[in-house]
Amino acid sequence: MDNSKSIWKNSKFTTYASGTLFNSLGNAFFDLALPLFIYHRTNSLSLMGASVIFTQLPKIIMGPLIGTWVDRLNPRTILFTSYAIQFILVSLIPILEYLTLLSAMLVLVIGFLVNTANLFARSAQFSIIPLLYPTQKLEANAGFATVWTSSMITGPIIGGGLLTIFSPMSLIILNALSFIMMIFFLYLVRIPDKEKVIGQNKTFTKDLVEGLKIAMATRTLRIFLVSSFLLIFSVAPVSTLVIFYLKEFYLFQDSNIGFIVATSGIGLFLGTLVISKMKKKNLGNLIYIGFLCMLAGLTLLLLPGWWFIPISLFMISLGSIIYSISRNSIIQSYCPQEYLARVNSIFQFIEQIATPISITIIVGMASSGIHKSIFVTLVGICIAATMLFKFSKLNSKSINLEEVFLEKN
């Protein structure tokens, strides 16, 4: 494959991306319809919130375990199986509703299981990208991110329009059908089987521990993990704080706040396009650019005037997608193939853990009446994360990235 050729001219990519688009739109419909269905059924705001939490729990409590399973099995088989399971689970909701056997708690359990199966699919896709696009990993990651962010922006809009005519259950049925579409497009891609790793007869626990060792094998990786935790800690509560700040100090209406927060989606989408044009840059330097963009966005929140807030959200989202795509590409390019899913899931686990810890602490501070000083604190933490990464070997132009995953300090 000619590395100079656009990934969008690769038929295997466009076929896979088409299925991903249908499925991502379906998932956006599901994420919109599920809490609404719970609320219509129970009139309970707490259960509606619980539905959102349940969908996020698999990422927090099962990430490294799922990554280990994916590395032990054939990612191709996992992809087809996980989408088939998601189709069955989501289809159960309208079927049980028709049979009058559906309860709110059962819907929450199904939502948890669906997102667990989806985590298997995403982890398997991460492992398959180097097999399908060995010379265009960065472009492939950016392309899939473009599809995902596009659906994240358009999905709620289309879903909201459909809800003016149909019920939330109709969106859930569309989501079920999207898994069939995904399976069909995956079949067309003809995904190769992963080569079996010689000596892969260890216990699950040993494989899990081995993945942890690989993810923290070198001083460079350990610094990267710590800086990533601090970075996510600094930006995770921003959207919540911004909404509170606009309501409390500027007395904005909900509709106006919605338009301002939407700039995050624009930043994510444009970031996927920007990074595809920067494929010749060192991946470590790209991650550093992501850090700097997020630091710049946080710093803008210290300036007076609400008009800096949408620019801030745009910069933070731009930086976050550049960071995410570059991090994925480093792992896919230089981590041994047999450890890909485990190492990726460990990085995601660190980031997922940082989010609830940060939101709990920072939002708790905000509720106590501390306002501008909170943004100063977040900027300070982001500066620490950026400086820590700057002086790591990953940001060096002379580093041989193949050495990052070797047992050397």
Side-chain angles (χ1 to χ4, degrees), residues 213-250:
K213 288 181 179 179
I214 292 293
M216 296 183 285
T218 64
R219 182 173 179 271
T220 299
L221 283 173
R222 293 192 290 271
I223 291 175
F224 189 17
L225 281 168
V226 173
S227 62
S228 295
F229 177 88
L230 293 175
L231 179 73
I232 301 304
F233 186 98
S234 68
V235 299
V238 167
S239 294
T240 303
L241 292 175
V242 161
I243 292 172
F244 174 79
Y245 201 64
L246 291 173
K247 294 283 286 185
E248 183 79 8
F249 289 92
Y250 293 105

mmCIF file of all heavy atoms in Angstrom, residues 213-250:
data_model
loop_
_atom_site.group_PDB
_atom_site.id
_atom_site.type_symbol
_atom_site.label_atom_id
_atom_site.label_comp_id
_atom_site.label_asym_id
_atom_site.label_seq_id
_atom_site.Cartn_x
_atom_site.Cartn_y
_atom_site.Cartn_z
ATOM 1 N N LYS A 213 2.975 -5.323 32.870
ATOM 2 C CA LYS A 213 4.428 -5.140 32.844
ATOM 3 C C LYS A 213 4.873 -4.457 31.552
ATOM 4 O O LYS A 213 5.754 -3.583 31.572
ATOM 5 C CB LYS A 213 5.129 -6.500 32.993
ATOM 6 C CG LYS A 213 5.039 -7.086 34.393
ATOM 7 C CD LYS A 213 5.777 -8.426 34.462
ATOM 8 C CE LYS A 213 5.720 -9.008 35.874
ATOM 9 N NZ LYS A 213 6.411 -10.331 35.941
ATOM 10 N N ILE A 214 4.284 -4.855 30.426
ATOM 11 C CA ILE A 214 4.639 -4.249 29.151
ATOM 12 C C ILE A 214 4.253 -2.769 29.131
ATOM 13 O O ILE A 214 4.998 -1.914 28.654
ATOM 14 C CB ILE A 214 3.953 -4.988 27.978
ATOM 15 C CG1 ILE A 214 4.535 -6.395 27.826
ATOM 16 C CG2 ILE A 214 4.088 -4.209 26.673
ATOM 17 C CD1 ILE A 214 5.987 -6.408 27.391
ATOM 18 N N ALA A 215 3.067 -2.461 29.668
ATOM 19 C CA ALA A 215 2.585 -1.071 29.667
ATOM 20 C C ALA A 215 3.442 -0.170 30.538
ATOM 21 O O ALA A 215 3.456 1.057 30.345
ATOM 22 C CB ALA A 215 1.138 -1.023 30.140
ATOM 23 N N MET A 216 4.163 -0.764 31.504
ATOM 24 C CA MET A 216 5.001 0.039 32.404
ATOM 25 C C MET A 216 6.454 -0.431 32.373
ATOM 26 O O MET A 216 7.194 -0.279 33.342
ATOM 27 C CB MET A 216 4.446 -0.042 33.834
ATOM 28 C CG MET A 216 3.060 0.565 33.978
ATOM 29 S SD MET A 216 2.424 0.548 35.669
ATOM 30 C CE MET A 216 1.983 -1.191 35.833
ATOM 31 N N ALA A 217 6.864 -0.979 31.234
ATOM 32 C CA ALA A 217 8.176 -1.620 31.149
ATOM 33 C C ALA A 217 9.324 -0.625 31.236
ATOM 34 O O ALA A 217 10.392 -0.938 31.763
ATOM 35 C CB ALA A 217 8.285 -2.415 29.849
ATOM 36 N N THR A 218 9.136 0.568 30.739
ATOM 37 C CA THR A 218 10.218 1.538 30.683
ATOM 38 C C THR A 218 9.854 2.814 31.436
ATOM 39 O O THR A 218 8.677 3.104 31.684
ATOM 40 C CB THR A 218 10.550 1.916 29.226
ATOM 41 O OG1 THR A 218 9.407 2.562 28.651
ATOM 42 C CG2 THR A 218 10.892 0.693 28.401
ATOM 43 N N ARG A 219 10.872 3.568 31.781
ATOM 44 C CA ARG A 219 10.657 4.851 32.464
ATOM 45 C C ARG A 219 9.828 5.778 31.587
ATOM 46 O O ARG A 219 8.961 6.513 32.079
ATOM 47 C CB ARG A 219 12.006 5.489 32.788
ATOM 48 C CG ARG A 219 11.914 6.811 33.540
ATOM 49 C CD ARG A 219 13.305 7.275 33.958
ATOM 50 N NE ARG A 219 13.241 8.548 34.653
ATOM 51 C CZ ARG A 219 13.290 9.732 34.056
ATOM 52 N NH1 ARG A 219 13.398 9.795 32.724
ATOM 53 N NH2 ARG A 219 13.230 10.852 34.749
ATOM 54 N N THR A 220 10.055 5.738 30.290
ATOM 55 C CA THR A 220 9.308 6.584 29.359
ATOM 56 C C THR A 220 7.812 6.286 29.417
ATOM 57 O O THR A 220 6.976 7.197 29.455
ATOM 58 C CB THR A 220 9.814 6.380 27.914
ATOM 59 O OG1 THR A 220 11.191 6.743 27.850
ATOM 60 C CG2 THR A 220 9.026 7.226 26.927
ATOM 61 N N LEU A 221 7.461 5.001 29.430
ATOM 62 C CA LEU A 221 6.050 4.617 29.491
ATOM 63 C C LEU A 221 5.422 5.007 30.821
ATOM 64 O O LEU A 221 4.268 5.445 30.870
ATOM 65 C CB LEU A 221 5.900 3.114 29.262
ATOM 66 C CG LEU A 221 6.022 2.642 27.814
ATOM 67 C CD1 LEU A 221 6.032 1.122 27.750
ATOM 68 C CD2 LEU A 221 4.891 3.192 26.962
ATOM 69 N N ARG A 222 6.184 4.855 31.912
ATOM 70 C CA ARG A 222 5.640 5.220 33.220
ATOM 71 C C ARG A 222 5.372 6.718 33.299
ATOM 72 O O ARG A 222 4.347 7.154 33.846
ATOM 73 C CB ARG A 222 6.587 4.756 34.330
ATOM 74 C CG ARG A 222 6.677 3.231 34.454
ATOM 75 C CD ARG A 222 7.378 2.814 35.725
ATOM 76 N NE ARG A 222 8.807 3.117 35.714
ATOM 77 C CZ ARG A 222 9.738 2.294 35.249
ATOM 78 N NH1 ARG A 222 9.394 1.114 34.737
ATOM 79 N NH2 ARG A 222 11.010 2.636 35.283
ATOM 80 N N ILE A 223 6.279 7.513 32.752
ATOM 81 C CA ILE A 223 6.059 8.963 32.706
ATOM 82 C C ILE A 223 4.853 9.293 31.850
ATOM 83 O O ILE A 223 4.030 10.153 32.192
ATOM 84 C CB ILE A 223 7.325 9.679 32.170
ATOM 85 C CG1 ILE A 223 8.468 9.583 33.183
ATOM 86 C CG2 ILE A 223 7.030 11.144 31.839
ATOM 87 C CD1 ILE A 223 9.779 10.162 32.682
ATOM 88 N N PHE A 224 4.721 8.584 30.743
ATOM 89 C CA PHE A 224 3.591 8.809 29.839
ATOM 90 C C PHE A 224 2.271 8.516 30.552
ATOM 91 O O PHE A 224 1.300 9.271 30.442
ATOM 92 C CB PHE A 224 3.757 7.935 28.599
ATOM 93 C CG PHE A 224 2.785 8.232 27.496
ATOM 94 C CD1 PHE A 224 2.061 9.412 27.453
ATOM 95 C CD2 PHE A 224 2.585 7.320 26.467
ATOM 96 C CE1 PHE A 224 1.166 9.686 26.430
ATOM 97 C CE2 PHE A 224 1.692 7.573 25.436
ATOM 98 C CZ PHE A 224 0.976 8.768 25.426
ATOM 99 N N LEU A 225 2.212 7.413 31.302
ATOM 100 C CA LEU A 225 0.990 7.059 32.021
ATOM 101 C C LEU A 225 0.629 8.114 33.060
ATOM 102 O O LEU A 225 -0.529 8.514 33.185
ATOM 103 C CB LEU A 225 1.160 5.693 32.699
ATOM 104 C CG LEU A 225 1.006 4.460 31.801
ATOM 105 C CD1 LEU A 225 1.491 3.214 32.528
ATOM 106 C CD2 LEU A 225 -0.432 4.280 31.363
ATOM 107 N N VAL A 226 1.631 8.589 33.811
ATOM 108 C CA VAL A 226 1.370 9.606 34.842
ATOM 109 C C VAL A 226 0.926 10.917 34.203
ATOM 110 O O VAL A 226 -0.035 11.554 34.662
ATOM 111 C CB VAL A 226 2.620 9.837 35.712
ATOM 112 C CG1 VAL A 226 2.403 11.005 36.675
ATOM 113 C CG2 VAL A 226 2.962 8.572 36.500
ATOM 114 N N SER A 227 1.614 11.333 33.139
ATOM 115 C CA SER A 227 1.240 12.589 32.482
ATOM 116 C C SER A 227 -0.147 12.485 31.857
ATOM 117 O O SER A 227 -0.913 13.464 31.869
ATOM 118 C CB SER A 227 2.278 12.964 31.417
ATOM 119 O OG SER A 227 2.360 11.983 30.394
ATOM 120 N N SER A 228 -0.507 11.311 31.344
ATOM 121 C CA SER A 228 -1.836 11.117 30.775
ATOM 122 C C SER A 228 -2.911 11.226 31.850
ATOM 123 O O SER A 228 -3.961 11.839 31.651
ATOM 124 C CB SER A 228 -1.931 9.761 30.080
ATOM 125 O OG SER A 228 -1.066 9.691 28.971
ATOM 126 N N PHE A 229 -2.647 10.623 33.014
ATOM 127 C CA PHE A 229 -3.602 10.702 34.127
ATOM 128 C C PHE A 229 -3.822 12.160 34.536
ATOM 129 O O PHE A 229 -4.968 12.606 34.699
ATOM 130 C CB PHE A 229 -3.092 9.901 35.317
ATOM 131 C CG PHE A 229 -3.986 9.988 36.533
ATOM 132 C CD1 PHE A 229 -5.039 9.095 36.695
ATOM 133 C CD2 PHE A 229 -3.773 10.968 37.495
ATOM 134 C CE1 PHE A 229 -5.871 9.183 37.802
ATOM 135 C CE2 PHE A 229 -4.608 11.058 38.607
ATOM 136 C CZ PHE A 229 -5.661 10.160 38.758
ATOM 137 N N LEU A 230 -2.739 12.909 34.691
ATOM 138 C CA LEU A 230 -2.848 14.314 35.100
ATOM 139 C C LEU A 230 -3.561 15.142 34.028
ATOM 140 O O LEU A 230 -4.359 16.027 34.351
ATOM 141 C CB LEU A 230 -1.456 14.896 35.368
ATOM 142 C CG LEU A 230 -0.712 14.323 36.576
ATOM 143 C CD1 LEU A 230 0.700 14.900 36.641
ATOM 144 C CD2 LEU A 230 -1.467 14.610 37.861
ATOM 145 N N LEU A 231 -3.278 14.838 32.761
ATOM 146 C CA LEU A 231 -3.912 15.580 31.672
ATOM 147 C C LEU A 231 -5.421 15.383 31.685
ATOM 148 O O LEU A 231 -6.191 16.345 31.653
ATOM 149 C CB LEU A 231 -3.337 15.119 30.332
ATOM 150 C CG LEU A 231 -3.925 15.801 29.094
ATOM 151 C CD1 LEU A 231 -3.417 17.230 28.983
ATOM 152 C CD2 LEU A 231 -3.609 15.011 27.824
ATOM 153 N N ILE A 232 -5.855 14.123 31.736
ATOM 154 C CA ILE A 232 -7.295 13.840 31.747
ATOM 155 C C ILE A 232 -7.943 14.388 33.011
ATOM 156 O O ILE A 232 -9.062 14.907 32.970
ATOM 157 C CB ILE A 232 -7.542 12.321 31.624
ATOM 158 C CG1 ILE A 232 -6.914 11.787 30.325
ATOM 159 C CG2 ILE A 232 -9.031 12.021 31.648
ATOM 160 C CD1 ILE A 232 -7.383 12.476 29.060
ATOM 161 N N PHE A 233 -7.243 14.312 34.141
ATOM 162 C CA PHE A 233 -7.760 14.874 35.391
ATOM 163 C C PHE A 233 -8.044 16.366 35.233
ATOM 164 O O PHE A 233 -9.048 16.875 35.748
ATOM 165 C CB PHE A 233 -6.748 14.650 36.517
ATOM 166 C CG PHE A 233 -7.240 15.057 37.878
ATOM 167 C CD1 PHE A 233 -7.760 14.114 38.748
ATOM 168 C CD2 PHE A 233 -7.181 16.388 38.294
ATOM 169 C CE1 PHE A 233 -8.218 14.489 40.008
ATOM 170 C CE2 PHE A 233 -7.638 16.766 39.547
ATOM 171 C CZ PHE A 233 -8.163 15.810 40.407
ATOM 172 N N SER A 234 -7.188 17.061 34.491
ATOM 173 C CA SER A 234 -7.334 18.515 34.366
ATOM 174 C C SER A 234 -8.462 18.941 33.438
ATOM 175 O O SER A 234 -9.049 20.006 33.616
ATOM 176 C CB SER A 234 -6.010 19.138 33.893
ATOM 177 O OG SER A 234 -5.717 18.761 32.557
ATOM 178 N N VAL A 235 -8.786 18.111 32.439
ATOM 179 C CA VAL A 235 -9.804 18.537 31.461
ATOM 180 C C VAL A 235 -11.152 17.842 31.648
ATOM 181 O O VAL A 235 -12.173 18.315 31.125
ATOM 182 C CB VAL A 235 -9.312 18.307 30.014
ATOM 183 C CG1 VAL A 235 -8.060 19.108 29.733
ATOM 184 C CG2 VAL A 235 -9.080 16.831 29.724
ATOM 185 N N ALA A 236 -11.195 16.731 32.411
ATOM 186 C CA ALA A 236 -12.432 15.952 32.524
ATOM 187 C C ALA A 236 -13.627 16.747 33.047
ATOM 188 O O ALA A 236 -14.740 16.588 32.539
ATOM 189 C CB ALA A 236 -12.191 14.720 33.411
ATOM 190 N N PRO A 237 -13.461 17.614 34.073
ATOM 191 C CA PRO A 237 -14.650 18.291 34.617
ATOM 192 C C PRO A 237 -15.016 19.593 33.919
ATOM 193 O O PRO A 237 -15.948 20.275 34.355
ATOM 194 C CB PRO A 237 -14.236 18.564 36.069
ATOM 195 C CG PRO A 237 -12.770 18.756 36.004
ATOM 196 C CD PRO A 237 -12.265 17.900 34.865
ATOM 197 N N VAL A 238 -14.304 19.944 32.850
ATOM 198 C CA VAL A 238 -14.477 21.268 32.253
ATOM 199 C C VAL A 238 -15.902 21.500 31.760
ATOM 200 O O VAL A 238 -16.503 22.550 32.022
ATOM 201 C CB VAL A 238 -13.461 21.483 31.105
ATOM 202 C CG1 VAL A 238 -13.839 22.711 30.270
ATOM 203 C CG2 VAL A 238 -12.069 21.665 31.679
ATOM 204 N N SER A 239 -16.476 20.539 31.037
ATOM 205 C CA SER A 239 -17.824 20.743 30.493
ATOM 206 C C SER A 239 -18.843 20.995 31.604
ATOM 207 O O SER A 239 -19.677 21.900 31.513
ATOM 208 C CB SER A 239 -18.255 19.525 29.663
ATOM 209 O OG SER A 239 -17.463 19.398 28.519
ATOM 210 N N THR A 240 -18.747 20.195 32.670
ATOM 211 C CA THR A 240 -19.665 20.371 33.805
ATOM 212 C C THR A 240 -19.476 21.739 34.449
ATOM 213 O O THR A 240 -20.450 22.445 34.753
ATOM 214 C CB THR A 240 -19.433 19.270 34.855
ATOM 215 O OG1 THR A 240 -19.588 17.995 34.238
ATOM 216 C CG2 THR A 240 -20.425 19.392 36.003
ATOM 217 N N LEU A 241 -18.218 22.148 34.644
ATOM 218 C CA LEU A 241 -17.936 23.442 35.259
ATOM 219 C C LEU A 241 -18.408 24.596 34.382
ATOM 220 O O LEU A 241 -18.929 25.601 34.879
ATOM 221 C CB LEU A 241 -16.433 23.578 35.532
ATOM 222 C CG LEU A 241 -15.841 22.666 36.611
ATOM 223 C CD1 LEU A 241 -14.335 22.834 36.670
ATOM 224 C CD2 LEU A 241 -16.461 22.974 37.968
ATOM 225 N N VAL A 242 -18.210 24.444 33.076
ATOM 226 C CA VAL A 242 -18.612 25.503 32.148
ATOM 227 C C VAL A 242 -20.121 25.712 32.183
ATOM 228 O O VAL A 242 -20.611 26.852 32.207
ATOM 229 C CB VAL A 242 -18.133 25.173 30.720
ATOM 230 C CG1 VAL A 242 -18.912 25.968 29.677
ATOM 231 C CG2 VAL A 242 -16.639 25.454 30.591
ATOM 232 N N ILE A 243 -20.878 24.614 32.179
ATOM 233 C CA ILE A 243 -22.337 24.721 32.243
ATOM 234 C C ILE A 243 -22.758 25.439 33.530
ATOM 235 O O ILE A 243 -23.581 26.350 33.521
ATOM 236 C CB ILE A 243 -22.979 23.331 32.152
ATOM 237 C CG1 ILE A 243 -22.755 22.738 30.758
ATOM 238 C CG2 ILE A 243 -24.477 23.399 32.458
ATOM 239 C CD1 ILE A 243 -23.185 21.298 30.616
ATOM 240 N N PHE A 244 -22.144 25.035 34.646
ATOM 241 C CA PHE A 244 -22.447 25.670 35.933
ATOM 242 C C PHE A 244 -22.074 27.153 35.904
ATOM 243 O O PHE A 244 -22.824 28.008 36.378
ATOM 244 C CB PHE A 244 -21.684 24.947 37.045
ATOM 245 C CG PHE A 244 -21.810 25.596 38.389
ATOM 246 C CD1 PHE A 244 -22.952 25.409 39.168
ATOM 247 C CD2 PHE A 244 -20.790 26.405 38.886
ATOM 248 C CE1 PHE A 244 -23.068 26.012 40.403
ATOM 249 C CE2 PHE A 244 -20.904 27.005 40.118
ATOM 250 C CZ PHE A 244 -22.037 26.813 40.889
ATOM 251 N N TYR A 245 -20.906 27.451 35.349
ATOM 252 C CA TYR A 245 -20.402 28.826 35.303
ATOM 253 C C TYR A 245 -21.318 29.716 34.464
ATOM 254 O O TYR A 245 -21.636 30.850 34.857
ATOM 255 C CB TYR A 245 -18.993 28.794 34.716
ATOM 256 C CG TYR A 245 -18.148 30.004 35.043
ATOM 257 C CD1 TYR A 245 -17.794 30.288 36.354
ATOM 258 C CD2 TYR A 245 -17.687 30.846 34.029
ATOM 259 C CE1 TYR A 245 -17.007 31.388 36.649
ATOM 260 C CE2 TYR A 245 -16.905 31.945 34.319
ATOM 261 C CZ TYR A 245 -16.565 32.216 35.637
ATOM 262 O OH TYR A 245 -15.792 33.310 35.933
ATOM 263 N N LEU A 246 -21.753 29.206 33.309
ATOM 264 C CA LEU A 246 -22.630 29.991 32.442
ATOM 265 C C LEU A 246 -23.995 30.228 33.090
ATOM 266 O O LEU A 246 -24.592 31.299 32.937
ATOM 267 C CB LEU A 246 -22.811 29.285 31.095
ATOM 268 C CG LEU A 246 -21.572 29.245 30.188
ATOM 269 C CD1 LEU A 246 -21.821 28.366 28.965
ATOM 270 C CD2 LEU A 246 -21.182 30.654 29.739
ATOM 271 N N LYS A 247 -24.491 29.232 33.798
ATOM 272 C CA LYS A 247 -25.785 29.380 34.480
ATOM 273 C C LYS A 247 -25.681 30.311 35.685
ATOM 274 O O LYS A 247 -26.541 31.163 35.908
ATOM 275 C CB LYS A 247 -26.293 28.003 34.942
ATOM 276 C CG LYS A 247 -26.636 27.045 33.831
ATOM 277 C CD LYS A 247 -27.970 27.350 33.179
ATOM 278 C CE LYS A 247 -29.121 26.966 34.055
ATOM 279 N NZ LYS A 247 -30.420 27.161 33.359
ATOM 280 N N GLU A 248 -24.599 30.148 36.458
ATOM 281 C CA GLU A 248 -24.472 30.860 37.732
ATOM 282 C C GLU A 248 -24.073 32.322 37.554
ATOM 283 O O GLU A 248 -24.625 33.206 38.218
ATOM 284 C CB GLU A 248 -23.434 30.136 38.606
ATOM 285 C CG GLU A 248 -23.252 30.722 39.983
ATOM 286 C CD GLU A 248 -24.357 30.304 40.925
ATOM 287 O OE1 GLU A 248 -25.172 29.439 40.551
ATOM 288 O OE2 GLU A 248 -24.411 30.856 42.044
ATOM 289 N N PHE A 249 -23.141 32.577 36.651
ATOM 290 C CA PHE A 249 -22.583 33.923 36.552
ATOM 291 C C PHE A 249 -23.130 34.730 35.381
ATOM 292 O O PHE A 249 -23.222 35.958 35.455
ATOM 293 C CB PHE A 249 -21.047 33.847 36.438
ATOM 294 C CG PHE A 249 -20.386 33.424 37.708
ATOM 295 C CD1 PHE A 249 -20.116 32.087 37.952
ATOM 296 C CD2 PHE A 249 -20.041 34.343 38.676
ATOM 297 C CE1 PHE A 249 -19.524 31.671 39.130
ATOM 298 C CE2 PHE A 249 -19.432 33.946 39.870
ATOM 299 C CZ PHE A 249 -19.174 32.605 40.095
ATOM 300 N N TYR A 250 -23.473 34.044 34.284
ATOM 301 C CA TYR A 250 -23.946 34.763 33.106
ATOM 302 C C TYR A 250 -25.438 34.567 32.856
ATOM 303 O O TYR A 250 -25.992 35.171 31.936
ATOM 304 C CB TYR A 250 -23.141 34.321 31.875
ATOM 305 C CG TYR A 250 -21.693 34.747 31.939
ATOM 306 C CD1 TYR A 250 -20.696 33.817 32.235
ATOM 307 C CD2 TYR A 250 -21.322 36.068 31.718
ATOM 308 C CE1 TYR A 250 -19.368 34.188 32.308
ATOM 309 C CE2 TYR A 250 -19.989 36.457 31.787
ATOM 310 C CZ TYR A 250 -19.021 35.524 32.084
ATOM 311 O OH TYR A 250 -17.703 35.897 32.166
#
